[in-house]
């Protein structure tokens, strides 16, 4: 199984999600991440690295702009927001059956579908994002077919 996590710049949420998935579920398959408006080659944000290290999760990351081949290769594409999902559905309508917000896939289409964007926030904001992502990703396997 190939999981693709997508956010905006690929320096905070999606690399954090990839690292959490890889840490929790290495036997389930390969995770990757990309950003809709990412600049290739940037490090993960300092606070993303700090929060992951606090949780004994290693990250080695360079940002990557989302490309069609990433979507084609993925079994599931999990976006961090409804707006990310809408962009991907417009760009890749043929992949609509595998594109979900992470919250939608885990919790169904109820309530706010967006994961907190920590960009530019304090370490505590990054911790809240980590907690939200970890809670969702811990429950992913029960949702897979």
């Amino acid at each position: 199984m190939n999981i693709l996590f997508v956010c905006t710049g690929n320096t905070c949420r999606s690399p954090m999600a990839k690292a959490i998935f890889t840490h929790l579920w290495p036997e389930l398959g390969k995770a990757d991440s990309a950003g809709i408006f990412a600049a290739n080659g940037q490090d993960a944000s300092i606070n993303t690295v700090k929060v992951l290290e606090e949780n004994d999760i290693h990250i080695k990351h360079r940002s990557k702009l989302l490309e069609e081949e990433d979507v084609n290769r993925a079994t599931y594409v999990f976006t961090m927001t409804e707006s990310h999902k809408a962009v991907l559905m417009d760009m890749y309508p043929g992949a609509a059956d595998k594109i979900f917000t992470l919250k939608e896939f885990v919790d169904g289409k109820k309530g706010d579908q967006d994961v907190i964007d920590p960009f530019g926030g304090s370490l505590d904001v990054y911790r809240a994002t980590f907690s939200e992502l970890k809670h969702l990703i811990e429950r992913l396997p029960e949702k897979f077919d």
Side-chain angles (χ1 to χ4, degrees), residues 1-30:
M1 180 178 332
N2 290 313
I3 306 296
L4 178 63
F5 294 101
V6 177
C7 68
T8 306
N10 193 223
T11 59
C12 302
R13 289 173 289 182
S14 60
M16 191 182 290
K18 173 189 173 183
I20 294 167
F21 181 90
T22 301
H23 178 76
L24 291 176
W25 307 115
E27 72 283 0
L28 290 181
K30 183 180 181 310

Side-chain angles (χ1 to χ4, degrees), residues 2 7 21 37 43 54 57-59 64 81 83 94 120 125 128 133-135 139:
N2 290 313
C7 68
F21 181 90
F37 300 111
D43 291 331
E54 288 175 356
I57 299 174
H58 175 74
I59 184 171
K64 179 184 182 321
T81 69
S83 62
V125 174
L133 287 170
K134 184 172 182 272
H135 176 71
R139 295 168 46 222

Side-chain angles (χ1 to χ4, degrees), residues 57-130:
I57 299 174
H58 175 74
I59 184 171
K60 184 176 180 181
H61 176 75
R62 293 281 182 248
S63 61
K64 179 184 182 321
L65 180 64
L66 179 70
E67 297 177 1
E68 185 172 5
E69 67 188 48
D70 300 319
V71 174
N72 292 341
R73 185 174 44 246
T75 310
Y76 293 99
V77 179
F78 297 127
T79 67
M80 298 296 119
T81 69
E82 288 184 285
S83 62
H84 295 141
K85 179 183 174 183
V87 168
L88 292 187
M89 297 291 250
D90 272 354
M91 292 173 67
Y92 310 109
D97 62 332
K98 62 181 175 179
I99 300 171
F100 305 89
T101 69
L102 181 57
K103 282 187 175 182
E104 167 192 9
F105 191 81
V106 174
D107 290 335
K109 286 189 171 218
K110 59 183 179 191
D112 180 17
Q113 294 291 302
D114 296 354
V115 171
I116 301 164
D117 185 358
F119 184 77
S122 68
L123 192 54
D124 284 338
V125 174
Y126 279 80
R127 288 180 180 128
T129 300
F130 174 86

